[in-house]
Amino acid sequence: MFEANSQNQLLTPSQNPAESNFQNPPESPREQPRQGRGGLRTGAIIGLTLLLIVVFVIGGFAGWVYAGTKSSSSSSTTSSITNATALDTLRESVAAKVRPSIVEVYVTLTNGAAIGSGVIVNSQGYIVTNNHVVSGALTIQVILYNGTKEAAQLAGADTAYDLAVLKIALPQGGLSVATLGDSTQLKVGQEVLVIGNPLGITQTVTDGIVSALKRSVSEGQGAPTIQNAIQTDAPINPGNSGGALVDLQGDVVGIPTLTAIDPEFNTPANGVGFAIPINRVKTILPQIIQG
């Protein structure tokens, strides 16, 4: 049978829709996927995540640098405090070691009295002081660290270096003897202590450094010129003469002798004092002991 389409066109069996020679309608263009709100949201989240990672990395690095700087600063401060405490402890131990060997020298003169200091340098009762402390003395008395008073005799002197050696009888319980160091090993800038009896204030410790070495200093008109003197800024006052200049090993390295005079005001100059090198003492001491 023949069928008619809606437009009264005849279709033969060979002209069925599947086998017709009509061209298939062109395909509609394939639509490209569109980035909707979901896509934008995902990109924003990824961008924000990356930004946060960068912020955290930078912040973490900055925090690490700050923490390192703070830690370094704290470590430096702690180290400085520790060093200062160690230095204080060292000075205390040196003072405790040396003070028992320092004595006060009390002298009567025809026109009054004088005071100075001395250092016990021998277990047999020999004491080193300055010659100008005992020069012209009618009597000499030594006051020990424990307050004991002992009469002293002049055993000998080295007037060219303003040194004198006294002798006392051995007290009960013996004597505390100072350790003599090596003044040739001193360095400019090295810390030192002065121990003596300035103005009669017994067992006083002052602190300073070695300001210079090998100074030639005169004690005044007609007085000797001391060679190779040690200059120090540790305070030296009347009464310190004959005491001890001590290094931080607790060794006596010099005998404080005088303070420079400011010519403008004719008064002692602050921070300019001089001591006789202990190696000179070590040279004359055996000679005097042997008579």
Side-chain angles (χ1 to χ4, degrees):
M1 293 182 63
F2 296 98
E3 294 181 354
N5 63 8
S6 62
Q7 295 180 354
N8 299 319
Q9 292 179 343
L10 297 176
L11 293 176
T12 63
S14 62
Q15 291 178 321
N16 63 55
E19 299 176 355
S20 70
N21 59 0
F22 289 171
Q23 294 181 350
N24 293 327
E27 294 182 0
S28 300
R30 187 173 295 174
E31 292 185 357
Q32 298 297 324
R34 291 179 299 173
Q35 290 184 348
R37 292 183 178 179
L40 290 174
R41 186 175 302 163
T42 301
I45 292 173
I46 293 173
L48 180 59
T49 302
L50 291 175
L51 179 60
L52 288 175
I53 291 173
V54 171
V55 169
F56 284 136
V57 169
I58 294 175
F61 177 75
W64 175 75
V65 171
Y66 172 74
T69 303
K70 184 176 180 181
S71 175
S72 176
S73 176
S74 177
S75 176
S76 177
T77 302
T78 302
S79 178
S80 298
I81 294 173
T82 301
N83 290 340
T85 302
L87 183 58
D88 287 344
T89 301
L90 182 58
R91 281 193 292 249
E92 292 166 8
S93 65
V94 169
K97 173 186 174 182
V98 180
R99 287 176 67 201
S101 64
I102 307 302
V103 302
E104 181 179 354
V105 179
Y106 182 81
V107 176
T108 59
L109 306 166
T110 54
N111 58 349
I115 59 171
S117 303
V119 184
I120 302 172
V121 292
N122 183 285
S123 60
Q124 299 305 307
Y126 288 94
I127 297 170
V128 169
T129 187
N130 283 135
N131 186 60
H132 75 257
V133 171
V134 296
S135 179
L138 300 178
T139 63
I140 304 172
Q141 187 179 63
V142 167
I143 304 174
L144 303 178
Y145 178 71
N146 62 5
T148 302
K149 297 178 180 180
E150 299 287 346
Q153 302 296 323
L154 180 62
D158 178 3
T159 56
Y161 269 82
D162 193 13
L163 290 171
V165 179
L166 309 178
K167 178 69 168 65
I168 63 172
L170 286 179
Q172 186 176 3
L175 295 169
S176 179
V177 179
T179 302
L180 305 186
D182 183 357
S183 52
T184 65
Q185 299 301 311
L186 289 174
K187 305 295 182 184
V188 174
Q190 176 179 340
E191 186 165 2
V192 287
L193 305 179
V194 169
I195 305 176
N197 307 289
L199 308 177
I201 305 172
T202 60
Q203 299 296 326
T204 296
V205 180
T206 56
D207 177 58
I209 63 170
V210 174
S211 304
L213 297 167
K214 298 183 178 180
R215 296 296 200 194
S216 294
V217 292
S218 173
E219 293 185 328
Q221 187 174 2
T225 296
I226 300 171
Q227 304 295 327
N228 299 317
I230 303 163
Q231 182 181 334
T232 179
D233 68 345
I236 298 175
N237 293 289
N240 270 128
S241 295
L245 181 72
V246 186
D247 64 19
L248 293 189
Q249 282 69 52
D251 297 336
V252 179
V253 293
I255 304 297
T257 299
L258 58 93
T259 298
I261 299 297
D262 185 338
E264 183 177 356
F265 302 103
N266 198 34
T267 57
N270 291 328
V272 187
F274 299 93
I276 301 165
I278 201 64
N279 283 29
R280 181 62 188 174
V281 174
K282 291 162 70 174
T283 298
I284 70 160
L285 185 61
Q287 301 175 36
I288 292 175
I289 291 175
Q290 294 168 11

